[in-house]
Amino acid sequence: MTELFRRIEYGYRVVFTGLAFILFALMGLGFRFLACPALNLTVRDPKRRARAARSVTHVSFGLFISLMKALRLMTCEIHGAEKLQRSGLLICPSHPTLLDVVILMSVVKNANCVVKAALLANPYLKSPVRTCGFVSNDSGESLIEDCCASLRNGDNLIIFPEGTRTRPGQEPHFQHGAAAVSLASAVAVTPVRIECVPPTLSKGAPWYRVPERRMHFTIHVMDDMNVAPYREELAARGRPIAVRHLTRDLKHLLFPNHA
């Protein structure tokens, strides 16, 4: 009976995981073809329009995560969530799964993020990215300034320091962008360590590869990293060294086993 129950429970999660992702795709279509045109027609100011679009994203992502929990497809515990209820944060999370950004944006209000430039060439995603005012990583020299401007506007900017999902069993490779933004803006880094057990929806893993038991997320919102010592190092030893050291220390916080 135990083995039969396990097989039934697993089959249930396979079916409802598929249905959940279909619903998520339908939500995306609704945002693209209903919410975006409506906001672009009715809200002329780009900043107000971006905030409104991010509010829609925040609520819809929250509903999706609540549905995933209600269907017993996942559980989630967040330690220090109150630290994310501020404005003008530079949030730097680890990135083990496909759902990380969905969970974070369901918790963080007015969340901006850096997205791949290729999304602006995608006819399905171009309008949502622009309506939400997300920062594109194709802006070259102005990328740092675009991120700093977002923080000055009071946005909560999410930057994944790895730039992509972590590959299980491999050494995490951090980009220097998050540290460069922190130093340029004088905004402290808020590290967020995300863990998922069992590992699923990781880099290279298809959504339909459902684990043997439901996934459990543990999210630790850590204390802000004081950027002042790194800015002093910036003045004394130059930008490359300060950026490298801030990136190194952030990596040690998010991946203590790789310190």
Side-chain angles (χ1 to χ4, degrees):
M1 284 295 292
T2 302
E3 177 62 19
L4 177 61
F5 177 79
R6 187 193 66 79
R7 287 179 178 273
I8 292 173
E9 192 270 343
Y10 180 76
Y12 164 87
R13 284 191 294 108
V14 170
V15 171
F16 279 90
T17 296
L19 292 175
F21 276 93
I22 290 172
L23 175 62
F24 190 79
L26 292 174
M27 289 168 59
L29 287 171
F31 186 77
R32 166 64 179 85
F33 294 106
L34 296 176
C36 286
L39 288 170
N40 285 319
L41 283 173
T42 59
V43 185
R44 293 299 181 184
D45 180 67
K47 291 181 180 179
R48 288 184 56 237
R49 184 167 61 240
R51 283 181 174 267
R54 293 172 195 162
S55 294
V56 174
T57 303
H58 170 71
V59 172
S60 59
F61 280 9
L63 291 173
F64 179 75
I65 294 300
S66 296
L67 176 67
M68 293 282 283
K69 292 177 181 177
L71 292 174
R72 299 182 61 81
L73 300 175
M74 63 172 284
T75 54
C76 182
E77 55 181 305
I78 304 178
H79 304 279
E82 71 282 354
K83 299 173 188 175
L84 299 177
Q85 305 308 308
R86 298 172 287 166
S87 60
L89 296 176
L90 175 56
I91 302 167
C92 294
S94 57
H95 198 5
T97 84
L98 192 64
L99 285 178
D100 304 333
V101 68
V102 180
I103 295 173
L104 281 176
M105 294 184 79
S106 74
V107 176
V108 178
K109 296 180 179 179
N110 191 30
N112 197 351
C113 59
V114 177
V115 299
K116 295 178 180 178
L119 298 185
L120 290 174
N122 185 313
Y124 173 68
L125 297 172
K126 179 179 179 179
S127 179
V129 168
R130 286 188 169 173
T131 304
C132 288
F134 292 153
V135 178
S136 169
N137 68 0
D138 71 340
S139 50
E141 292 295 325
S142 67
L143 173 60
I144 303 301
E145 176 52 35
D146 290 344
C147 290
C148 292
S150 176
L151 292 168
R152 286 195 298 270
N153 288 335
D155 301 345
N156 289 314
L157 183 62
I158 300 173
I159 300 180
F160 290 98
E162 297 168 87
T164 187
R165 281 172 285 167
T166 310
R167 285 192 177 273
Q170 293 187 13
E171 175 78 15
H173 177 70
F174 274 38
Q175 308 291 331
H176 290 164
V181 171
S182 177
L183 290 173
S185 64
V187 173
V189 171
T190 303
V192 179
R193 186 189 303 147
I194 302 175
E195 300 168 343
C196 180
V197 179
T200 187
L201 298 174
S202 54
K203 186 73 172 179
W207 66 264
Y208 53 80
R209 189 176 296 167
V210 177
E212 287 299 315
R213 53 193 174 91
R214 62 178 170 169
M215 50 191 168
H216 176 71
F217 284 86
T218 305
I219 299 176
H220 299 273
V221 183
M222 308 170 81
D223 292 336
D224 294 345
M225 295 179 68
N226 181 11
V227 74
Y230 303 99
R231 284 177 60 84
E232 292 174 3
E233 189 172 38
L234 170 69
R237 304 183 64 187
R239 181 175 177 272
I241 292 177
V243 166
R244 187 164 64 248
H245 288 173
L246 177 51
T247 301
R248 175 201 61 196
D249 293 344
L250 174 60
K251 179 179 177 180
H252 289 177
L253 284 172
L254 294 181
F255 294 92
N257 294 333
H258 291 273

